[in-house]
Amino acid sequence: MATRWVVLKFGGTSVSTPERWRIIADLASRRIAEGLRPLVVCSALSGVSNQLEALLALAVEGRHEAAFAALRQRHLELGAALGIDADERLADDFEELSRLALAASLLREAGPALKARVMAFGELMSTRLGAAFLETQGIATSWLDARTALEAREDPASFGPRAYLSATCDFERDEALAARLASLPGVAILSQGFIARNREGQTVLLGRGGSDTSASYLAARLGAERCEIWTDVPGLFTANPSLLPSARLLRALNYEEAQEIATTGAKVLHPRCIPPLRQHRIPLHVLSTARPDIPGTVISASGPVTGPQVKAISSRSGITLIAMETVGMWQEVGFLAKAFEIFAEHGVSIDSVSTSETNVTVSLDPGANALEPGVLRALLADLSAFCEPQVIAPTASLSLVGRGIRAILHELGPVLEAFEELKIHLVTQAASDLNLTFIVDEDQSERLVRQLHGLLFGHQAEGPVFGPTWSELFGREGETPEGSAAEWWRGRRHELIDLAAVKGPLYVYDAETLRSAASSLRSLTAVDRLFYSLKANANPEVLRVFHAAGLSFECVSAAELDHVRSLFPDLDRSRLLFTPNFAPREEYVRGFAAGARVTLDNVHPLREWPEVFAEREVFLRLDPGRGRGHHAHVRTAGAQSKFGIAPEQLDDLQLLLAANETRVVGLHAHMGSGIRTPEAWQEVALFLAAEAGRFPDVRVLDLG
């Protein structure tokens, strides 16, 4: 009977501790129990590839002994933790690595062929230890040198350093290879990622992140039933979960969508690992070694049929744009051919292109180009012969990835409004209709990802495509979802359902979650006092929680002031802030009578009712001239806003203040709902600090 293969790939963090190796052993045993023969593909220990690269650089300088000793010690320690005599198992590897480092030291150089040989030792040594450990766990395992199974296509004479350091391999089905591996003893095979051989038998590398590609090559050549990529995260998400804990797990994608997400910035998968699996229609499962219980993402030829839909936001930083300007290109035959030929001559890979009658702008892929200053200068010099080239950097790309993007452009209006105040350098829409990409200044990238993700996925429910959020899976600070304050309702779902059955639709708030949020805010050492806004929720029980937590209260109406005072009659009046907007005279009178800090947000009250403000202390709400937020309706500053005193009114205001002997003790400004954007807080603080010079009695800056 033909062997049923499954390929499991484990990254650096997944092979660096005994705990993770025990998980690998358990997973291999489970696959064997399913009637599959596992081919396990492993990376070097976490950080070892960097150590080997540093070792080689130090060897060229003749001072590599300490680096070699540290590398050796790292593997000896893991071996001891696994119960393996690493000194014996890795003796030949240590000896050869030492000789290669010495060769680099004597030659005072390390070419690509030597570098490939040295870098391969990370995978070779980790898998020798791993194979020995699996044997101790009762799993009969054959160790396979990946260089005997994968052969590079590139000829070093034609492709230069890339042939050694970023090679590609054929991935046609290979029955002879399958038969040879099936004849190996044991029930499991352990091999390396990242490495292969060329036609001359020399060691070559598949580029950083190449272990994913190794696994897909081997799965394709063996005709495996599936390929599993085990990594730090349990699948692909709607955005980078380290940036956005609200990012949702993508349960299922087709090959094209996954390829686009990987290519446009997701770090979970190497983009080159998908084509071999797509050609042979082998499903790819992306899973987490840390949480093997989570089903992860399944990538196959037939994902769920959802119609046109954005499924992820990917971003890449470090992108360089080259803008080529010339009137002479209009209707000129061959301009692009000439330009692209120059890029090719300098070994520079173009990622995307935008053209008009007088301008061509291209983006350069940071993953494919090592843009040394000399290379860039030479490229610009050659381009200058027939155009005016300009470098635009640093920039970042933001890609909306999904299917049928063109069909839903009309639905993306609110998303496009997020770019209203930004300079967009380049917009591209893939011919495959799988992505819409914007290139903006790099310092705007993270803010935009957060903002766009909230617009696109903020109300997304779980379904066949979208799974739970990162925070629902992992909670806060490593808590499980059941114990996470952020998802308290999961642990009490049955109680809530019973409550809803009796009382019908209702809102429910968890007091502990509110206390936790207040405590988190009170830990901000840069803020002297925190005010809770009653307009968010004036429920008496909610207010009692925040009162007990030491929060002060901000009110926007006299009725809210009365509400707080009735609940907390002994409240220190310095903990009451009154911020009305174009309020009638009586509201201001009642604000002062309540002992609250009263805020003026326009000049009219001071001009029309000077007696109300005579010899009083007030706050001023100023308009910084620019709003923040994902939509015009939630921006509370700028030319179209009614909130705040405009800068051109300040001279008149100061005269009125002086005439009434009204002292300004606090300044307030609020741009809008962009509260998750750090730059917004910074802008408000700097604006208020600058304006405070006008008012000598100011002692409070209210950031809003």
Side-chain angles (χ1 to χ4, degrees):
M1 187 173 69
T3 302
R4 297 172 57 209
W5 294 100
V6 60
V7 176
L8 298 86
K9 175 265 174 180
F10 295 91
T13 56
S14 299
V15 298
S16 296
T17 65
E19 295 75 22
R20 294 294 173 86
W21 271 108
R22 281 190 278 273
I23 292 173
I24 293 173
D26 178 64
L27 292 170
S29 296
R30 292 187 187 188
R31 301 301 175 264
I32 293 165
E34 294 174 31
L36 301 170
R37 187 165 189 189
L39 170 57
V40 180
V41 175
C42 295
S43 298
L45 307 188
S46 180
V48 161
S49 292
N50 290 336
Q51 285 183 274
L52 286 165
E53 205 159 24
L55 169 70
L56 202 54
L58 290 168
V60 171
E61 299 174 5
R63 51 189 188 95
H64 60 278
E65 290 81 2
F68 177 80
L71 192 67
R72 182 175 180 275
Q73 185 61 29
R74 173 86 185 277
H75 289 84
L76 293 180
E77 288 175 359
L78 178 60
L82 293 172
I84 306 298
D85 185 350
D87 209 2
E88 178 184 351
R89 291 274 178 179
L90 304 180
D92 291 343
D93 291 317
F94 289 147
E95 183 180 349
E96 186 177 353
L97 181 57
S98 177
R99 286 201 307 269
L100 292 173
L102 179 60
S105 177
L106 294 173
L107 293 170
R108 289 289 188 263
E109 66 176 9
L114 178 58
K115 182 176 182 179
R117 289 181 65 185
V118 168
M119 296 293 289
F121 279 98
E123 278 69 18
L124 294 171
M125 292 191 293
S126 71
T127 54
R128 291 193 205 279
L129 294 178
F133 176 74
L134 293 182
E135 288 281 352
T136 68
Q137 303 303 296
I139 303 173
T141 304
S142 287
W143 183 86
L144 172 71
D145 189 331
R147 294 170 294 188
T148 67
L150 296 176
E151 183 177 294
R153 297 167 172 169
E154 292 84 1
D155 177 8
S158 303
F159 287 86
R162 200 183 89 185
Y164 289 102
L165 305 179
S166 188
T168 59
C169 300
D170 290 321
F171 45 81
E172 296 300 326
R173 181 74 180 270
D174 189 337
E175 298 294 350
L177 175 65
R180 176 164 67 85
L181 298 194
S183 68
L184 293 176
V187 292
I189 298 173
L190 189 61
S191 191
Q192 308 80 39
F194 186 50
I195 65 174
R197 74 177 188 281
N198 62 20
R199 292 168 187 172
E200 285 72 43
Q202 297 171 299
T203 299
V204 299
L205 309 179
L206 303 184
R208 283 301 183 101
S211 291
D212 290 354
T213 309
S214 298
S216 70
Y217 283 160
L218 290 167
R221 302 198 77 199
L222 296 175
E225 294 198 4
R226 68 177 180 269
C227 180
E228 301 176 4
I229 302 291
W230 291 86
T231 182
D232 295 336
V233 294
L236 280 76
F237 281 73
T238 52
N240 180 356
S242 65
L243 177 66
L244 274 169
S246 59
R248 288 192 174 276
L249 175 68
L250 291 164
R251 287 182 166 135
L253 295 167
N254 61 39
Y255 295 118
E256 292 77 16
E257 293 165 339
Q259 177 84 54
E260 208 71 23
I261 292 172
T263 303
T264 55
K267 301 292 194 297
V268 181
L269 282 178
H270 195 288
R272 290 201 310 201
C273 81
I274 298 174
L277 302 175
R278 181 178 63 218
Q279 177 170 312
H280 296 277
R281 301 177 74 83
I282 297 170
L284 172 61
H285 295 236
V286 184
L287 304 146
S288 172
T289 319
R291 288 289 302 273
D293 56 302
I294 299 174
T297 302
V298 178
I299 300 166
S300 65
S302 56
V305 179
T306 59
Q309 187 176 45
V310 177
K311 295 183 179 176
I313 299 176
S314 299
S315 65
R316 285 187 298 172
S317 57
I319 291 176
T320 298
L321 299 181
I322 306 291
M324 295 167 280
E325 190 85 29
T326 177
V327 177
M329 76 173 69
W330 185 57
Q331 294 186 342
E332 179 185 343
V333 176
F335 176 84
L336 285 177
K338 294 176 187 176
F340 290 173
E341 185 178 352
I342 291 175
F343 282 92
E345 288 172 356
H346 289 276
V348 176
S349 171
I350 292 173
D351 191 29
S352 58
V353 183
S354 176
T355 66
S356 69
E357 281 82 357
T358 61
N359 178 279
V360 174
T361 299
V362 300
S363 67
L364 308 182
D365 183 354
N369 298 295
L371 287 178
E372 302 294 339
V375 173
L376 205 52
R377 282 195 299 270
L379 172 67
L380 295 175
D382 286 352
L383 289 172
S384 297
F386 63 101
C387 69
E388 296 179 13
Q390 177 191 3
V391 175
I392 304 171
T395 65
S397 67
L398 280 77
S399 299
L400 310 184
V401 182
R403 185 160 292 280
I405 302 291
R406 283 194 289 271
I408 56 171
L409 286 176
H410 62 287
E411 298 176 10
L412 299 180
V415 174
L416 298 178
E417 284 187 8
F419 295 92
E420 179 183 4
E421 299 170 358
L422 298 176
K423 183 172 184 179
I424 301 176
H425 299 290
L426 191 68
V427 180
T428 61
Q429 209 278 318
S432 60
D433 207 10
L434 290 169
N435 83 58
L436 178 63
T437 295
F438 306 87
I439 296 184
V440 298
D441 291 334
E442 189 174 76
D443 61 0
Q444 299 296 322
S445 173
E446 287 192 2
R447 177 183 71 81
L448 276 170
V449 169
R450 290 189 176 96
Q451 188 174 350
L452 297 180
H453 190 272
L455 289 168
L456 288 166
F457 304 107
H459 302 289
Q460 181 66 58
E462 291 190 32
V465 174
F466 300 102
T469 66
W470 177 271
S471 57
E472 287 170 345
L473 289 169
F474 293 97
R476 293 182 178 177
E477 299 179 356
E479 295 175 345
T480 60
E482 294 294 334
S484 168
E487 286 78 40
W488 62 272
W489 50 271
R490 286 182 176 271
R492 301 177 65 183
R493 62 173 68 89
H494 298 300
E495 182 183 348
L496 292 170
I497 290 171
D498 292 342
L499 190 62
V502 174
K503 296 194 174 184
L506 71 164
Y507 289 99
V508 180
Y509 294 86
D510 178 62
E512 185 54 42
T513 299
L514 300 179
R515 281 189 284 269
S516 175
S519 175
S520 176
L521 289 171
R522 285 177 62 82
S523 69
L524 296 172
T525 58
V527 178
D528 296 310
R529 178 161 291 183
L530 291 161
F531 287 80
Y532 172 73
S533 177
L534 254 73
K535 66 182 177 182
N537 188 335
N539 182 281
E541 295 305 317
V542 171
L543 298 184
R544 289 189 179 97
V545 169
F546 289 142
H547 176 262
L551 268 60
S552 301
F553 298 96
E554 189 235 24
C555 305
V556 297
S557 70
E560 287 186 353
L561 283 172
D562 293 342
H563 183 51
V564 173
R565 294 173 66 204
S566 67
L567 289 172
F568 315 114
D570 299 326
L571 183 72
D572 184 341
R573 294 304 184 255
S574 69
R575 293 176 62 185
L576 270 180
L577 180 61
F578 185 42
T579 315
N581 178 233
F582 283 91
R585 182 182 186 279
E586 182 60 25
E587 291 269 314
Y588 291 104
V589 171
R590 290 172 65 183
F592 284 120
R597 299 180 178 188
V598 176
T599 302
L600 269 170
D601 75 335
N602 66 96
V603 178
H604 177 85
L606 198 59
R607 180 184 293 120
E608 299 299 323
W609 314 308
E611 70 281 2
V612 175
F613 302 93
E615 300 182 5
R616 295 280 194 181
E617 291 185 348
V618 297
F619 278 29
L620 297 180
R621 177 170 179 168
L622 306 181
D623 186 343
R626 179 188 180 192
R628 288 275 195 173
H630 65 276
H631 192 279
H633 294 166
V634 294
R635 296 180 199 135
T636 52
Q640 303 301 317
S641 172
K642 67 174 183 174
F643 300 96
I645 301 166
E648 60 268 20
Q649 296 178 304
L650 291 179
D651 290 339
D652 290 342
L653 174 69
Q654 285 183 291
L655 294 175
L656 292 170
L657 291 168
N660 288 286
E661 297 184 28
T662 305
R663 295 183 305 281
V664 177
V665 297
L667 296 180
H668 169 49
H670 180 42
M671 289 184 167
S673 69
I675 60 172
R676 295 184 182 274
T677 306
E679 295 85 356
W681 297 101
Q682 184 181 48
E683 285 179 37
V684 171
L686 292 173
F687 168 73
L688 293 180
E691 295 297 333
R694 289 177 174 264
F695 309 100
D697 295 316
V698 165
R699 57 180 183 268
V700 176
L701 300 182
D702 177 8
L703 301 190

